[in-house]
Amino acid sequence: MSILIRSVGVSIPEQRISNEELAARVDTTDEWIRSHTGIGARHVAAEGDQTSDLAARSALDALARAKIAPREIDLIVVATATPDYFGFPSTACVIQEKIGALGCAALDVTAGCTGFIYALDVASSMLEARKGRHALVIGADTLTRITDWSDRSTCVLFGDAAGAAVISRIEEGGRGVLGSVLGAEGGGARALYLEQPARDSTFGRPEQVVPVIRMDGKEVYNFAVKSIAVLVERLLHASMYRLEDFSWIVPHQANARIVQAAAKRLGVPESRFYMNIEEYANTSSASIPLALREMVDKGLLVQGQLVMLVGFGSGLTYGAIAIRW
Ligand code: UT7
């Protein structure tokens, strides 16, 4: 038995903001952003779109590519830090209705930028346990909606997008998801969190004020570099493979410098890490499926190749999954 990734769909907002355009509104420069992060632009969700709209489009794209009808889906797992609703209902339920996958199980996973890895692991494990045959794993975020535009150390980093994978349980073995490592360091929770507006303690209706991202950039940076190296080593330790066997490492796209530092630490050429942060910035849980789809379109993923997905983010969480494509 294997859990196979059949297709990857994406939804990328049309509105694109280059570093130069951002520098006209924020105290920053294209030179600073590029040299410190590798980011050149970001895409921003259209005004009427919610996270579930981007997610639903990416899911329909993935379903069409897999030639699977929405009603054949048994499970939807959505990774998002920017749900349509605070608390409930889950964004997965909203998406379920939007794509017409009525009746299937639907749940959200909260793991920050590691969300897609966590969601893929949860969905794969459920299919492995024979709780369904086909699942949609979606990473969707609209972080520009919770960005503090007066904080130049964070507002230049993020973009909006969604990516979805259709995964299926097949009887033949040796392909698809081979193994995973998930972890968290809860002690670092305050290094990257959503600051909630102060609540009125009276019985009145609470004010509607948007929460914003707060980040200790250096702490997250150091955690990320260490995590990539540790995850790769742990994943290899738990498998029979060597690093040289993997054609690609697909990291969460948070900062090109993080990947460069991790590559150096692991002694792997940077070219083995797939990067597309320049165009999309950090799209949180969407970044890995966005990268995968681009690789599929460019013909970089060949059946039989070993690929490693590596993520890190708020929590602080980290996770990696080995796949035979
Ligand atoms: O998805 C997972 C979550 N996020 C991450 O993985 C991000 C992890 N952290 C990082 O990528 C980096 O820490 C940042 C990109 C956020 C910051 O880079 P840095 O090299 O650590 O910069 P810094 O915070 O040490 O700031 C250096 C200087 C400061 O000026 P002074 O004090 O040296 O005069 C900042 O005020 O750069 C200044 N600065 C900026 N200048 C122009 C900070 N942001 C900007 C900006 N434009 N946007």
Side-chain angles (χ1 to χ4, degrees):
M1 179 179 58
S2 301
I3 308 300
L4 201 65
I5 298 185
R6 300 182 86 102
S7 66
V8 183
V10 292
S11 172
I12 298 161
E14 262 175 44
Q15 193 191 354
R16 177 183 189 274
I17 301 179
S18 67
N19 289 345
E20 287 86 353
E21 286 167 304
L22 196 61
R25 289 193 263 158
V26 174
D27 180 19
T28 189
T29 58
D30 175 53
E31 197 283 326
W32 191 96
I33 302 172
R34 280 184 189 276
S35 61
H36 284 74
T37 69
I39 294 167
R42 70 281 300 139
H43 291 243
V44 175
E47 210 175 308
D49 274 351
Q50 289 190 290
T51 296
S52 66
D53 295 303
L54 298 184
R57 279 180 217 126
S58 70
L60 290 171
D61 183 23
L63 286 165
R65 286 176 162 248
K67 296 190 172 54
I68 287 186
R71 63 178 182 285
E72 292 179 76
I73 291 294
D74 302 302
L75 168 70
I76 301 175
V77 183
V78 176
T80 185
T82 46
D84 286 18
Y85 295 91
F86 171 74
F88 56 89
S90 71
T91 307
C93 288
V94 181
I95 296 165
Q96 186 218 49
E97 202 273 332
K98 282 185 178 168
I99 65 171
L102 303 180
C104 72
L107 67 125
D108 285 3
V109 163
T110 303
C113 299
T114 322
F116 187 78
I117 303 269
Y118 265 70
L120 181 54
D121 203 45
V122 167
S124 307
S125 306
M126 286 178 74
L127 294 193
E128 242 167 39
R130 301 195 173 269
K131 294 188 166 136
R133 175 108 194 280
H134 303 298
L136 263 171
V137 181
I138 305 174
D141 269 306
T142 47
L143 287 193
T144 67
R145 300 264 167 86
I146 52 165
T147 296
D148 178 354
W149 293 100
S150 67
D151 175 7
R152 67 176 183 172
S153 69
T154 55
C155 74
V156 300
L157 304 176
F158 304 112
D160 303 332
V166 172
I167 66 168
S168 301
R169 176 169 44 79
I170 57 169
E171 291 318 315
E172 142 205 2
R175 287 186 65 196
V177 174
L178 302 176
S180 66
V181 175
L182 296 184
E185 287 181 12
R190 294 291 282 190
L192 178 51
Y193 68 102
L194 201 53
E195 185 178 73
Q196 304 290 336
R199 275 177 181 265
D200 188 347
S201 61
T202 62
F203 292 109
R205 193 183 162 89
E207 267 184 70
Q208 294 265 353
V209 198
V210 181
V212 286
I213 297 169
R214 293 285 175 242
M215 179 172 74
D216 179 336
K218 282 210 168 35
E219 189 177 339
V220 179
Y221 183 96
N222 292 334
F223 167 78
V225 174
K226 184 192 76 182
S227 295
I228 295 178
V230 168
L231 281 165
V232 169
E233 278 156 13
R234 279 180 59 188
L235 201 58
L236 293 175
H237 188 70
S239 74
M240 56 185 181
Y241 301 107
R242 297 161 306 155
L243 195 45
E244 307 84 88
D245 298 330
F246 283 82
S247 304
W248 289 105
I249 301 172
V250 184
H252 165 52
Q253 314 275 315
N255 184 332
R257 278 170 53 218
I258 290 175
V259 172
Q260 285 154 5
K264 200 167 160 196
R265 206 161 150 160
L266 286 162
V268 180
E270 266 175 55
S271 56
R272 292 257 294 288
F273 288 80
Y274 188 80
M275 293 298 294
N276 66 358
I277 192 173
E278 187 180 4
E279 177 59 26
Y280 304 112
N282 179 349
T283 57
S284 192
S285 58
S287 85
I288 288 178
L290 240 58
L292 287 175
R293 169 59 177 274
E294 220 175 73
M295 294 171 80
V296 169
D297 288 350
K298 288 181 178 169
L300 296 176
L301 290 174
V302 177
Q303 195 173 319
Q305 266 179 348
L306 286 176
V307 180
M308 200 187 287
L309 313 182
V310 182
F312 50 86
S314 168
L316 295 168
T317 54
Y318 54 95
I321 294 190
I323 293 167
R324 187 174 291 285
W325 199 257

